[in-house]
Amino acid sequence: MSGDGFHVHGPHDHAVEHAAHGSDDFSNNIAVMTAILATVGALFGYLGGATQNEAALFKNNAAIDKTQAANSWNYYQAKSSKQNLAELAMTLPGVDPKKYEAEVARYKHEKEDIKKDAEKWEDSSKEWNHKSDEAMHEHHQWALATTAEQIAISLAAITLLTRKKWMMGLAYGVAGVGIALGAFAWLHVDPIGQLLAKLGGAAAGH
């Protein structure tokens, strides 16, 4: 602990510290690996947080546009009510129908414009929702990649304590899976989702 604050040690910190007191290549390799994995994990975590923020922003935009659509539909209903009243007035005895024909035509024209506007806002809201779902899905991919790197770091710390080479191989394997997941997220590819979709389709076919 320093005068300016405190620092919480993680598994990679202990691995690097332990290697600093040792001179064998095994400890040095573990220290280097954990330092690299910690950096990669931090990058994955940052990208995951960024996509989560994007998802929230897109969802907020969708809600705003949905409100705009609702307001437009309310305005459309108000025009419809006025049109109905004008049409009703045309049927009353002693009333000149031509007097209200222009009003009915005007309300119909205005309703068409309002309807197009409402549908535009609805389409925009759906598009923002779609973008939000995609960003949130990407966030989950980054989260999986980050978790894999954290597990690999923990395995590396255990390897340093046990000095089991097979454990180091396991740590490398999990780290490789995490990096692959991160690459898929970066490329906007979801092999796990595609596999589950295929399995679901096959199950539905039976």
Side-chain angles (χ1 to χ4, degrees), residues 44 47 141-142 144-146 176-188:
F44 287 174
L47 292 172
Q141 288 183 279
W142 286 120
L144 284 174
T146 303
V177 170
I179 291 173
L181 290 172
F184 286 136
W186 180 264
L187 297 172
H188 304 289

Side-chain angles (χ1 to χ4, degrees), residues 7-174:
H7 176 68
V8 179
H9 290 278
H12 63 284
D13 295 315
H14 293 298
V16 174
E17 186 177 332
H18 183 85
H21 295 292
S23 58
D24 60 300
D25 291 337
F26 186 83
S27 298
N28 291 335
N29 289 338
I30 293 294
V32 172
M33 183 185 80
T34 51
I36 293 174
L37 293 181
T39 303
V40 172
L43 176 62
F44 287 174
Y46 169 78
L47 292 172
T51 52
Q52 187 177 31
N53 291 336
E54 282 186 351
L57 177 62
F58 294 156
K59 185 65 71 175
N60 183 63
N61 290 342
I64 292 173
D65 287 356
K66 190 69 174 178
T67 301
Q68 292 284 3
N71 291 338
S72 294
W73 283 121
N74 289 335
Y75 191 35
Y76 179 88
Q77 291 299 327
K79 291 293 182 180
S80 293
S81 298
K82 290 182 178 180
Q83 179 186 334
N84 292 336
L85 289 174
E87 290 173 345
L88 178 62
M90 291 172 61
T91 63
L92 296 176
V95 173
D96 183 9
K98 294 183 180 180
K99 179 181 178 181
Y100 295 97
E101 284 180 0
E103 288 189 21
V104 172
R106 177 168 60 87
Y107 288 138
K108 284 183 178 180
H109 179 71
E110 290 177 348
K111 281 172 57 181
E112 286 300 318
D113 291 338
I114 296 170
K115 182 181 179 182
K116 290 178 182 178
D117 192 54
E119 290 174 344
K120 181 195 73 174
W121 287 117
E122 284 187 338
D123 291 340
S124 178
S125 178
K126 289 177 182 178
E127 182 64 25
W128 282 121
N129 272 322
H130 179 67
K131 289 182 178 180
S132 177
D133 291 341
E134 286 186 335
M136 201 62 196
H137 185 71
E138 186 179 343
H139 163 71
H140 291 150
Q141 288 183 279
W142 286 120
L144 284 174
T146 303
T147 301
E149 297 309 304
Q150 291 173 340
I151 293 173
I153 291 173
S154 297
L155 289 173
I158 296 173
T159 301
L160 195 59
L161 295 174
T162 62
R163 305 189 73 80
K164 301 287 186 181
K165 288 190 175 181
W166 67 267
M167 182 70 73
M168 182 169 68
L170 181 60
Y172 277 123
V174 175

